[in-house]
């Protein structure tokens, strides 16, 4: 008998969330961002739910190859472009569109032998200061690309640092606009947070948006807003079962380091899920969890293969009861991954991406 832990990928929820991106983005085309193995969901499983996208954006050539193997013939965009000159051969062979964010990538293109000109997205550093050409050098980069026979259509792109928060995007919109005002080409600016929070503002949705985490049922601006507010649905459920019950007396402790002490008699359940499954070890006592669909809390430290939960709110629970670590629970119950991430001092992205290879995953509708 395998351990009772498993992850479910909800393909209809993926399609629903993608639809939400479309609604918010007006007429813009939508890239479904599927980097990091589709935020831990698996490219193949995510593709089932997201095939209605206008294109797929990712970083990794092997993942691009997997998409092509699934039969996807539409646009695929490499968000960081090429890492070395020979990556351009894969771009030609697989018909990948790619970001150009630095002079080296233009040098490589100039030496590349291809029959078909490449579609490139020139990346502007409008203030994130990770990738992209500084505003003052955008025109020169554009002119260099425009002069190359290896390059066909040139689009323009930037990335926001604060679309989810108080600083917002106005300063970056202004920098992007100033750097690109009289350059032709399609524009692609918004990530999930900008799609949800800013897409109704002039120029933000532009020609393409890049919808990542929102497709996967996580609110990029949690806790200011949750997925219910944005009408998003969980796309990943991590669930397991109780494999033991303990009854604590006042003064008894639980787990490594005895970080939890019962102040009265307490029934607890031991769950077959630990940090080696991708559950965050940093969750302190009090992290939300569902047992038989009822919201309760973890107690004590998370260990490699197990964690403990308070059964006081669920007196009917016992050996074998279903535990929802995040996602959809029984009877219509739900625990958004953002609630768990928040308790662990991180974000939903990280929990989903960290789902461990030892957890069996299956797609459900
Ligand atoms: C990851 C990524 C996105 C998607 O971000 P979300 O916050 O998940 O929507 C968009 N653009 C770029 C350049 C990225 O690297």
């Amino acid at each position: 008998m395998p351990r009772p832990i498993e992850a479910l990928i909800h393909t209809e929820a993926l399609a629903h969330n993608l639809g939400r991106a479309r609604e918010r983005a007006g007429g813009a085309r939508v890239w479904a961002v599927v980097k990091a193995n589709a935020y831990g969901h698996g490219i193949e499983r995510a593709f089932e739910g997201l095939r209605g996208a206008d294109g797929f954006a990712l970083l990794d050539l092997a993942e691009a190859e997997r998409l092509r193997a699934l039969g996807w013939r539409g646009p695929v965009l490499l968000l960081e472009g090429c890492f070395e000159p020979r990556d351009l051969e894969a771009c030609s062979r697989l018909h990948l569109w790619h970001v150009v964010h630095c002079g080296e990538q233009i040098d490589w293109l100039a030496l590349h032998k291809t029959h078909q000109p490449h579609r490139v997205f020139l990346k502007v550093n409008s203030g994130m200061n990770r990738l992209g050409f500084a505003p003052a050098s955008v025109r020169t980069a554009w002119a260099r690309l425009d002069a190359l026979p290896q390059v066909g259509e040139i689009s323009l792109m930037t990335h926001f640092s604060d679309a989810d928060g108080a600083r917002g995007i106005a300063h970056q919109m202004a920098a992007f606009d100033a750097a690109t005002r009289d350059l032709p080409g399609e524009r692609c600016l918004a990530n999930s947070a900008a799609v949800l929070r800013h897409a109704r503002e002039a120029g933000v949705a532009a020609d393409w948006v890049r919808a990542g985490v929102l497709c996967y049922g996580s609110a990029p601006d949690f806790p200011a807003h949750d997925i219910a507010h944005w009408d998003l649905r969980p796309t990943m459920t991590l669930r397991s079962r109780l494999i033991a019950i303990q009854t604590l007396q006042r003064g008894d402790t639980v787990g490594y380091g005895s970080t939890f002490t019962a102040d009265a008699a307490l029934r607890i359940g031991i769950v077959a899920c630990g940090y080696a499954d991708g559950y965050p070890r940093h969750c302190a006592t009090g992290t939300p969890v569902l047992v038989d669909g009822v919201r309760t809390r973890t107690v004590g430290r998370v260990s490699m293969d197990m964690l403990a939960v308070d059964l006081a709110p669920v007196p009917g629970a016992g050996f074998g009861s279903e535990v929802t670590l995040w996602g959809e629970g029984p009877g219509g119950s739900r625990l958004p991954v953002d609630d768990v991430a928040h308790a662990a001092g991180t974000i939903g992205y990280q929990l989903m991406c960290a789902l461990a290879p030892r957890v069996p995953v299956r797609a459900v509708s």
Side-chain angles (χ1 to χ4, degrees):
M1 175 77 179
R3 291 171 75 229
I5 191 167
E6 65 174 348
L8 306 177
I9 303 304
H10 306 284
T11 52
E12 280 176 11
L14 286 162
H16 167 87
N17 296 344
L18 180 68
R20 293 288 299 137
R22 263 201 202 294
E23 282 167 42
R24 304 293 301 184
R29 276 159 289 162
V30 180
W31 293 110
V33 181
V34 294
K35 64 189 179 186
N37 199 23
Y39 291 51
H41 291 60
I43 298 269
E44 289 77 8
R45 286 179 290 266
F47 181 67
E48 279 180 52
L50 298 175
R51 60 199 316 157
D54 297 297
F56 290 91
L58 40 65
L59 313 176
D60 186 89
L61 280 176
E63 291 185 348
E65 191 124 35
R66 278 160 67 193
L67 266 177
R68 290 295 187 221
L70 291 168
W72 175 255
R73 302 176 68 162
V76 174
L77 175 64
L78 294 179
L79 287 168
E80 296 180 357
C82 295
F83 300 101
E84 55 174 331
R86 64 177 194 161
D87 292 351
L88 287 167
E89 292 159 26
C91 290
S92 295
R93 177 169 54 85
L94 297 167
H95 302 286
L96 308 180
W97 301 0
H98 49 100
V99 164
V100 172
H101 67 76
C102 62
E104 290 80 355
Q105 290 178 331
I106 303 181
D107 300 340
W108 303 339
L109 265 167
L111 296 171
H112 179 53
K113 292 189 175 45
T114 181
H115 298 297
Q116 269 215 303
H118 287 197
R119 168 97 181 240
V120 297
F121 280 63
L122 176 61
K123 186 150 186 186
V124 178
N125 175 9
S126 59
M128 169 76 106
N129 287 311
R130 250 175 15 177
L131 300 182
F133 291 90
S137 54
V138 168
R139 260 155 244 275
T140 312
W142 191 92
R144 274 193 76 196
L145 286 169
D146 190 46
L148 293 179
Q150 292 89 341
V151 172
E153 203 172 325
I154 306 172
S155 303
L156 299 163
M157 174 172 151
T158 196
H159 192 48
F160 297 128
S161 57
D162 290 78
D164 57 331
R167 191 172 183 208
I169 62 171
H171 63 294
Q172 288 188 263
M173 287 295 292
F176 179 79
D177 189 50
T180 61
R181 192 169 293 138
D182 39 319
L183 293 176
E186 294 187 344
R187 266 85 171 146
C188 176
L189 294 83
N191 57 355
S192 292
V195 168
L196 293 173
R197 293 168 65 99
H198 299 288
R200 306 269 155 84
E201 298 160 27
V204 176
D207 300 294
W208 292 88
V209 300
R210 305 186 300 276
V213 81
L214 83 79
C215 292
Y216 305 100
S218 170
D221 58 350
F222 188 85
H225 298 110
D226 61 12
I227 56 168
H229 175 87
W230 295 123
D231 184 21
L232 301 171
R233 288 166 40 186
T235 58
M236 177 192 285
T237 292
L238 179 64
R239 69 181 186 184
S240 186
R241 293 193 179 276
L242 296 183
I243 57 168
I245 307 292
Q246 303 292 342
T247 303
L248 307 183
Q249 302 305 324
R250 181 187 160 86
D252 285 350
T253 64
V254 181
Y256 288 117
S258 301
T259 60
F260 175 80
T261 305
D263 55 10
L266 183 68
R267 269 179 91 232
I268 62 165
I270 305 301
V271 186
C273 176
Y275 61 78
D277 299 301
Y279 193 88
R281 184 175 173 279
H282 305 286
C283 287
T285 291
T287 302
V289 56
L290 307 180
V291 177
D292 286 338
V294 176
R295 193 168 169 124
T296 178
R297 58 175 184 149
T298 66
V299 290
R301 258 189 209 154
V302 175
S303 42
M304 184 183 285
D305 313 304
M306 285 178 270
L307 57 86
V309 294
D310 181 350
L311 295 181
V314 217
F319 184 88
S321 283
E322 182 170 335
V323 179
T324 309
L325 287 316
W326 62 71
E328 301 282 7
S333 59
R334 175 177 286 183
L335 177 60
V337 69
D338 296 327
D339 292 26
V340 182
H342 191 64
T346 184
I347 51 177
Y349 300 71
Q350 192 183 13
L351 298 199
M352 295 191 285
C353 291
L355 184 73
R358 81 173 185 182
V359 178
V361 188
R362 93 193 142 81
V364 295
S365 64

